[in-house]
């Protein structure tokens, strides 16, 4: 070992795998960065004086006498106003041909917010997607995943939320995106003139997969700066957390760690919790809300990634294709926002809770009628009306392309009630019926 300008330099690599190198070293820390023959690496394991480094761009061409230089710091990001509107890679470096970032250098991946600094979430965060805002209203400081099959348009939904959400700042963390998806986000944000309130950290399928593990920490480090320092209402969109977990598994397997369920590392729960627990409402007004896509393999909700996610988050949102209307909808049966009671009827109009419950009950009646129809049973006149209602409910409220504010979505639902049912069939409080039932 030699010392050059206070950097520790080693030239003897004792073990090389497809993703890691091991050397004997002292006085280095977990997550510390290093270069191995110029390739960026990070300390992932320390046992006595044996240090294992994860090499982000792979260990191909690395020699046993490679020069290993420890940099003395963990991955970091320059935070400040210059982040606004930028597209950055997993290392926080610009990929949009813009100038270098300016600001304060902050290490990523710090601890979650101290519980005593947390406030119970109490502010509505409207997404502009009626299927979410009507039945699964979100609250600032909430953490919630989208569960979706890989062939569903979840990235289009995320882009829509980014443009419509009532928040001060949107931070997008893209992991394992195709170039088409990356360009879709970039073009959508640019054409909408919304870049000044969006920051994007992007890892594509052409980038090394292990770099994906840095993306959530980069996005949340930026979010913490704006929420804490500038008291902003920040919405973090992460897509796709299954790709993130797969990257963790690659590193874990190549380090010869014994895999857990579905070939995932045994640390998966804590790895996911470290990310999701960054969601917070601060007493002084700043907040971090997290919406994250988790793609499902064949709809398997029992897979380790969605299974662990469900224990950490406050509900879930499901996308599914409604074959009756030919649109992708937010499924009202399987979706759930566990914090919606904190805002509906309080931060939204007084009739919201009863309208939501009545609509889902009638939609459930339509589902039962559909089952009767498919099994050859006769339908009642009421059954037929519920089926017609369900189609319009999906088309005009649940579909992901419906853009309505809270007042419009409630008025639209009342309009559907009056079109297909009598007031007594809807079973809503009489004073609300008197006030909001549309006049013929």
């Amino acid at each position: 070992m030699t010392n050059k300008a206070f950097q520790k330099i080693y030239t003897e690599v004792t073990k090389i795998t497809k993703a890691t190198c091991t050397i004997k070293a002292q006085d280095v820390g977990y997550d510390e960065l290093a270069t191995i023959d110029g390739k960026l690496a990070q300390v992932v394991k320390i046992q006595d004086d044996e240090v294992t480094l994860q090499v982000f761009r792979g260990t191909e061409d690395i020699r046993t006498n490679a020069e290993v230089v420890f940099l003395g710091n963990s991955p970091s990001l320059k935070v400040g106003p210059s982040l606004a509107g930028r597209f950055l890679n997993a290392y926080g470096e610009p990929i949009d041909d813009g100038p270098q970032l300016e600001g304060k250098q902050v290490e990523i991946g710090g601890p979650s917010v101290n519980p005593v600094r947390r406030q119970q979430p109490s502010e509505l965060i409207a997404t502009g997607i009626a299927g979410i805002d009507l039945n699964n209203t979100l609250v600032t400081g909430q953490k919630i995943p989208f569960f979706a099959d890989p062939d569903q348009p979840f990235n289009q939904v995320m882009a829509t939320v980014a443009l419509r959400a009532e928040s001060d700042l949107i931070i997008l963390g893209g992991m394992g995106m195709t170039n088409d998806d990356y360009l879709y986000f970039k073009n959508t944000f640019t054409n909408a003139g919304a870049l000044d309130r969006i920051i994007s950290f992007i890892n594509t399928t052409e980038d090394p997969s292990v770099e994906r593990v840095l993306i959530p920490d980069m996005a949340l480090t930026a979010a913490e700066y704006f929420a804490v320092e500038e008291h902003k209402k920040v919405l973090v969109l992460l897509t796709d957390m299954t790709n993130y977990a797969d990257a963790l598994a690659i590193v874990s397997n190549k380090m010869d760690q014994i895999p857990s369920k579905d070939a995932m590392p045994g640390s998966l729960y804590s790895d996911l919790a470290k990310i999701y627990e960054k969601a917070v409402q601060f007493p002084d007004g700043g907040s971090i809300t997290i919406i994250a896509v988790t793609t499902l393999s064949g709809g398997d909700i029992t897979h380790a990634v969605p299974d662990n996610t469900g224990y950490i988050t406050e509900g879930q949102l499901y996308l599914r294709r409604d074959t009756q209307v030919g649109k992708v909808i937010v499924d009202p049966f399987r979706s759930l926002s566990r914090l919606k009671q904190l805002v509906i009827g309080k931060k939204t109009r007084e009739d919201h809770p009863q309208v939501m419950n009545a609509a889902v009950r009638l939609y459930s009646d339509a589902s039962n009628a559909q089952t009767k129809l498919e099994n050859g049973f006769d339908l009642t006149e009421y059954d037929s009306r519920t089926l017609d209602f369900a189609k319009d409910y999906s088309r005009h409220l649940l579909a992901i392309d419906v853009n309505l504010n809270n007042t419009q979505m409630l008025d639209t639902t009342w309009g559907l009630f009056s079109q297909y049912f009598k007031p007594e069939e809807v079973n809503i409080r009489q004073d609300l019926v008197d006030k909001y039932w549309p006049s013929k």
Side-chain angles (χ1 to χ4, degrees), residues 253-294:
N253 291 340
K254 288 178 178 176
M255 289 172 60
D256 296 325
Q257 293 179 356
I258 298 173
S260 184
K261 184 172 181 261
D262 298 315
M264 288 291 136
S267 61
L268 180 64
Y269 181 90
S270 57
D271 290 329
L272 292 173
K274 183 184 71 171
I275 293 168
Y276 285 116
E277 292 302 334
K278 293 291 184 78
V280 60
Q281 170 78 53
F282 291 109
D284 55 13
S287 65
I288 299 172
T289 306
I290 299 174
I291 303 178
V293 169
T294 296

Side-chain angles (χ1 to χ4, degrees), residues 152-371:
Q152 289 176 337
F154 52 84
N155 280 331
Q156 286 85 332
V157 176
M158 291 300 238
T160 301
V161 170
L163 295 179
R164 297 180 188 168
E166 294 178 5
S167 62
D168 299 323
L169 188 71
I170 304 290
I171 298 179
L172 171 68
M175 292 157 279
M177 279 187 178
T178 64
N179 266 323
D180 285 346
D181 280 334
Y182 165 48
L183 292 175
Y184 171 77
F185 276 109
K186 191 171 185 180
N187 293 335
T188 300
F189 296 164
T190 302
N191 294 339
L195 280 180
D196 60 335
R197 71 182 195 100
I198 299 174
I199 304 166
S200 303
F201 295 88
I202 304 294
N203 163 272
T204 70
T205 51
E206 295 184 1
D207 298 320
S209 59
V210 293
E211 291 181 0
R212 292 169 199 166
V213 301
L214 297 174
I215 291 284
D217 284 338
M218 282 285 173
L220 289 162
T221 298
E224 286 176 325
Y225 165 77
F226 287 101
V228 174
E229 302 293 334
E230 301 194 7
H231 313 304
K232 288 188 182 293
K233 191 175 174 181
V234 184
L235 176 59
V236 178
L237 307 175
L238 299 174
T239 174
D240 163 13
M241 292 301 288
T242 298
N243 287 339
Y244 166 81
D246 287 343
L248 290 176
I250 288 170
V251 175
S252 173
N253 291 340
K254 288 178 178 176
M255 289 172 60
D256 296 325
Q257 293 179 356
I258 298 173
S260 184
K261 184 172 181 261
D262 298 315
M264 288 291 136
S267 61
L268 180 64
Y269 181 90
S270 57
D271 290 329
L272 292 173
K274 183 184 71 171
I275 293 168
Y276 285 116
E277 292 302 334
K278 293 291 184 78
V280 60
Q281 170 78 53
F282 291 109
D284 55 13
S287 65
I288 299 172
T289 306
I290 299 174
I291 303 178
V293 169
T294 296
T295 50
L296 307 175
S297 176
D300 182 10
I301 198 64
T302 67
H303 186 279
V305 180
D307 188 33
N308 279 280
T309 299
Y311 283 105
I312 301 164
T313 53
E314 292 140 349
Q316 67 280 326
L317 301 169
Y318 273 89
L319 295 181
R320 74 168 171 85
R321 179 165 291 280
D322 187 327
T323 55
Q324 298 296 317
V325 298
K327 288 190 172 189
V328 175
I329 67 169
V330 181
D331 191 332
F333 294 148
R334 301 183 76 189
S335 301
L336 170 67
S337 168
R338 291 195 180 97
L339 302 186
K340 63 187 174 188
Q341 286 81 2
L342 298 174
V343 292
I344 60 171
K346 302 179 180 72
K347 304 292 183 176
T348 60
R349 210 167 68 184
E350 60 181 333
D351 56 324
H352 187 168
Q354 295 228 346
V355 169
M356 172 192 71
N357 289 332
V360 172
R361 178 177 57 79
L362 294 168
Y363 192 75
S364 177
D365 288 347
S367 180
N368 292 334
Q370 184 66 31
T371 301

